[in-house]
Amino acid sequence: MSHPWYLNLISFFGIFGLCGIAWLFSENKRVIPWRVMIWGIGLQLVLAFLVFQFPLTRIALDAFSKLLDGVFAAADFGANFVFGDNLVRLPATVKPAPALDVNIGYVFAFRALPTVIFFSGLMALLYNLGVIQVVTNVFAKLFYRTMRLSGAEALSGAANIFVGIEAAIVVKPFLPKMTRSELCAILACCFGTAASSTLAIYVSFLRDVFPNILGHLVSASIMAIPACFVISKILVPETGVPLTLGGIPDEKAAKELAEENIFGEFEEDEQPQETVAGEPIERVSPLDAAIVGALDGVNMAVSIAAVLILILGLVFLVNQTFGSLAALKTSPQVPLQAIGHLFTIVSLQNIEGVLFYPLTILTGVPFDESWTASVIIGRRLLETAIPPYRALAEAAQMGAVSDRTVLIVSYALSGFAHLASVGIFVGGTIALIPSRRKDISALGWKALFAGTLATMMIACLAGVFDTGDPSILGNKNQPPVPVTTPSASPSPSKTAISAPKLNAPPKPNPTVPPQPTPPATAQPTSSVPPKTTPSVPPKPIPSAVSPKTFPTANPQRARHIPPLPKPTIPATKPPVP
């Protein structure tokens, strides 16, 4: 184990510490959902054991990561065709670099956002083919039978493994009559998990330092569902009787409820429709579903770019204000100097780091890296998870954090628990059920808090089962990353070609430091003048020097040249034919 064993114990007890924090903010401290807590934490431990310790699961996870790497390559190939080689670089095995190679570096808009579009279309295609429903129903039944949740919240929570606010649409007919606890659980699952389309952005940042990141992010979304149920049921305990307590609802039951006009006015022959550019359409084929999904991905990509531009700009503006206050430390007035010294360390990132430091300690990161991890995790609250993931990748590449910290923080950031999502999830849910506007608005902030604690809980699980095994993060394949072999090959190749022209054996290479100098007892018998030394090779050398005398005369001739080490420097230049 590459880290102290007590860090794993801290991660284990951190799970229960997070439950205690949730209980402190509970609406009803007398009602403790013991069944949900026991089975929810137990499910998380089992799932984490399968991901981190069970060999077959790890092999399957590695194969799944490689499979999805091909999906990323497909997204990059399509983006390369649209944006060109200089903006979207493909691997040399797929497409050689262009003749006019203008490498402008990693551009977020052209590298990360196209994967959102591709993944959105792919998930829509899989949903149309019925693949997503099969997986969702399996996990919904698992959550329902173990934690005894209502069928609607179990189904919506399972759908959050793949989608975001769309998971609420799955149980839309049941939303108006849901209890407060059910609504909080559904919203908490939205905050505590990440949509499959945005996982592509996180992977694009961490792929070099965490090759298996995609498989772990998918497993994090699965483990986060029971974590969200545990925390949300502690914050808002179930005191009513859910309508779907008897089982998982299906489309037939939802249609019957709609026909009875219990939850609103629905037409009997109403079919679920979608809109593109404001016009209603109906999906009729898998290809049509994929196209509509890609168009939805375009809207999502534009929304992500707009939110990042706004939020990062506001954060920069606030930090600029803090920087102006920090400049007061040079003021001649003592009170202003005190203010200036205070704001030299005050920034939004540091404030967020202080707020999240106790939660970060509970995850079991190494103590010497806890502040760096806390700042990265805290930044998600205002800046969304995208800039923190990029900061984590940069810190790992610089060696500022260990592999254990990379693993734990990656799990802690895998969710939509930030302020920008409050408007998305709360506003989207209110649009589905306007009659529950007051309850949803009040539960939005509790659900954000629950989603935050849930992501920290699965980070604790990663810390519990982290043994320091490098295979958990994956093979980083460092040798192929530095592309030094193509650039270094020309110079040795030229010297290797020049040597056979003089029939010289490869061992007395003139580029090697002068080893043949030890005993030089023989006198210079060669009739070749000093002009023919390899230091300045004139044109007539190849024809004037015989192949036999050159190798033997070279060490002897070195005694007649005053600067002995000098022949090694010009010898690297290829002789002029």
Side-chain angles (χ1 to χ4, degrees), residues 67-91:
L67 175 65
L68 291 182
D69 283 341
V71 177
F72 279 104
D76 288 341
F77 190 82
N80 172 268
F81 178 81
V82 176
F83 299 115
D85 295 321
N86 293 324
L87 291 175
V88 181
R89 182 66 51 83
L90 294 177

Side-chain angles (χ1 to χ4, degrees), residues 456-500:
M456 303 304 292
M457 183 175 287
I458 62 174
C460 292
L461 291 168
V464 169
F465 291 97
D466 176 37
T467 59
D469 188 354
S471 63
I472 294 178
L473 268 66
N475 185 11
K476 298 181 182 180
N477 288 330
Q478 291 290 14
V481 174
V483 198
T484 54
T485 49
S487 59
S489 59
S491 57
S493 62
K494 291 182 181 179
T495 56
I497 293 174
S498 62

Side-chain angles (χ1 to χ4, degrees), residues 152-182:
E153 61 184 345
L155 181 60
S156 178
N160 267 287
I161 298 174
F162 303 99
V163 295
I165 187 60
E166 297 86 355
I169 302 177
V170 178
V171 292
K172 179 181 177 180
F174 307 93
L175 288 175
K177 294 297 181 179
M178 279 188 175
T179 63
R180 283 174 50 85
S181 181
E182 285 181 293

Side-chain angles (χ1 to χ4, degrees), residues 235-405:
L235 284 174
V236 185
E238 184 64 81
T239 56
V241 180
L243 185 66
T244 57
L245 190 61
I248 298 175
D250 53 10
E251 295 182 1
K252 182 179 180 180
K255 188 175 180 180
E256 290 177 355
L257 292 173
E259 290 175 354
E260 294 175 6
N261 200 18
I262 296 180
F263 303 125
E265 296 180 357
F266 294 91
E267 295 292 337
E268 184 174 349
D269 57 346
E270 182 180 0
Q271 298 293 332
Q273 289 188 338
E274 300 176 6
T275 60
V276 175
E279 296 183 1
I281 66 167
E282 182 179 347
R283 292 185 178 180
V284 294
S285 68
L287 180 60
D288 180 64
I291 293 174
V292 173
L295 295 177
D296 292 339
V298 172
N299 296 331
M300 185 182 300
V302 174
S303 300
I304 291 173
V307 169
L308 287 176
I309 291 173
L310 173 64
I311 292 180
L312 294 181
L314 291 176
V315 170
F316 178 80
L317 183 62
V318 174
N319 284 331
Q320 286 289 97
T321 305
F322 290 164
S324 301
L325 294 174
L328 296 176
K329 65 181 179 179
T330 59
S331 175
Q333 301 180 5
V334 177
L336 295 181
Q337 290 180 6
I339 295 175
H341 286 292
L342 174 64
F343 280 94
T344 54
I345 60 174
V346 173
S347 64
L348 281 180
Q349 288 81 3
N350 289 340
I351 294 174
E352 294 163 346
V354 171
L355 292 176
F356 278 82
Y357 191 77
L359 300 179
T360 305
I361 290 295
L362 292 177
T363 61
V365 297
F367 293 110
D368 56 342
E369 301 172 3
S370 57
W371 174 250
T372 302
S374 177
V375 171
I376 294 176
I377 295 174
R379 290 179 59 183
R380 180 187 60 179
L381 181 62
L382 295 178
E383 303 178 30
T384 74
I386 296 174
Y389 267 118
R390 188 168 190 172
L392 177 62
E394 293 173 353
Q397 291 171 352
M398 293 186 299
V401 293
S402 61
D403 288 348
R404 176 176 174 84
T405 301

